[in-house]
Amino acid sequence: MAGAIASRMSFSSLKRKQPKTFTVRIMTMDAEMEFNCEVKWKGKDLFDLVCRTLGLRETWFFGLQYMIKDTMAWLKMDKKVLDHDVPKEEPVTFHFLAKFYPENAEEELVQEITQHLFFLQVKKQILDEKIYCPPEASVLLASYAVQAKYGDYDPNVHKRGFLAQEELLPKGVINLYQMTPEMWEERITSWYGQHRGRARDEAEMEYLKIAQDLEMYGVNYFAIRFTIKPLDKKIDVFKFNSSKLRVNKLILQLCIGNHDLFMRRRKADSLEVQQMKAQAREEKARKQMERQRLAREKQMREEAERTRDELERRLLQLKEEATMANEALMRSEETADLLAEKAQITEEEAKLLAQKAAEAEQEMQRIKATAIRTEDEKRLMEQKVLEAEMLALKMAEESERRAKEADQLKQDLQEARDSERRAKQKLLEITSKSSYTPMNCSATTLPADLPTFSLISESLSFDFKDTDMKRLSMEIEKEKVEYMEKSKHLQEQLNELKTEIEALKLKERETAMDILHNENSDRGNSKHNTIKKPQAQGRRPICI
């Protein structure tokens, strides 16, 4: 009994020592996760747990966002989770989003997961029209989004209407033009077909490289009040603020974070970042070699399939020729049998006619030998003899004609037999060809496990030395030059698309953002020019 009491006390003490927990739900752009968190956890503990779960190492771009009375707020790293003004009902919901944006996505984003999360978030902001995007650029971005989702364009698979259920363009762009969904799909597909060979991560990076040049990319907007100080020193200093203290703190927090990220870009990479970039380069090279290997295997498979189809077509053709030869042989045999039967009948008729002619000759001789005593009988007899001679002559001619016909039939029979012999010889040749064809087919057809080949058994090892890194750097520089040329060509294509759809534009449906964008384009103003002007005047721009 004492043991039972002791065990009950130990269980009660263990239960009291267990920390209290609460449930947290984390919403990313493409997933949903739930965690049990301890009450004493700070924001950094929860944030690190989410990053470890996602396998994310570039943590300085992201944060956990929540809503307070229709106002967004970010979880502070040094403050307990439950000390924030978050809803008390469980699970407590946070959104894992990009808080700060890179100036150059291709150079700053190292991990593929980082790039993918940025792609999904920027794409959603463009579709929700939180980032203004011109119509021609929207079509191009939509084509890269389709490439990232569906892979290379295949007209046999991606038939007309396959994008009917996809949300690819902002509603403002769709409503601005008198164009049907089929017309939009046709223009997106024409761009989509030009992206052949790009992997998902490459298509997403091209999307970000275009989106980062949009005017509203990476910009947060707040309703604030301005106070401007003129040149007169007696007037108050210029300042701005918001009606909500929470928004003021949020603006300050974003300013500090952007400044820290600005300074981070200007410093040398830390050891961790250097290792991440080295691993990313090695992974990129490995994937490139893997794609090349798969491309070679695909080409070999396609060649093997073409060879197989050609052999099957040839075999089918030989079978058809053999069938036709068999039918011709059967017809020849039937013709020969008919000719032989007809020749036999003709020969029997000739014999019968010859027999009748002989009988007529005998009758003529008998009549001549018979003495006719009277003149009338003599004349009658002469007449009968004449008729008998005429009949004998006709029967002789008929017999000769029948004999010639019999000879002609014999000649036709001989020709039919020669034709039958030639048909049999041709059938024998076709049969011999068919017997050799499977051997050739088996010699040229590749094994069923073609995709594996002998390459599967090989272990691919990569030894990246300094010379390899220099070579890779030179290739990267070369790619940058090619990218500049492609960008120029891309801009020309965008201008062509803009000119093409301009005739279908509805002026009365233009929004304030459309009008402002057109005015800036006509003046030659862009986000980059706006940033460069204060720098040229000796002032540093502030990006929020």
Side-chain angles (χ1 to χ4, degrees), residues 450-510:
L450 174 65
T452 59
F453 295 97
S454 60
L455 296 175
I456 292 181
S457 61
E458 297 178 1
S459 59
L460 300 175
S461 61
F462 306 95
D463 183 11
F464 295 95
K465 299 180 180 179
D466 294 339
T467 56
D468 297 330
M469 292 297 104
K470 292 180 180 178
R471 179 174 56 80
L472 186 59
S473 299
M474 294 177 64
E475 292 178 358
I476 292 174
E477 291 297 328
K478 183 178 179 181
E479 290 178 359
K480 287 183 179 179
V481 175
E482 294 177 352
Y483 171 73
M484 295 299 293
E485 297 176 354
K486 290 180 180 178
S487 298
K488 183 178 179 181
H489 178 64
L490 180 64
Q491 189 62 37
E492 294 175 354
Q493 289 180 310
L494 288 173
N495 292 334
E496 291 178 1
L497 178 61
K498 182 178 180 180
T499 304
E500 179 183 353
I501 64 177
E502 189 67 24
L504 302 173
K505 190 173 183 179
L506 299 174
K507 295 290 186 180
E508 64 273 10
R509 294 186 182 179
E510 283 187 334

Side-chain angles (χ1 to χ4, degrees), residues 132-148:
Y132 175 78
C133 183
E136 61 276 10
S138 300
V139 175
L140 177 59
L141 291 176
S143 67
Y144 279 114
V146 174
Q147 176 71 21

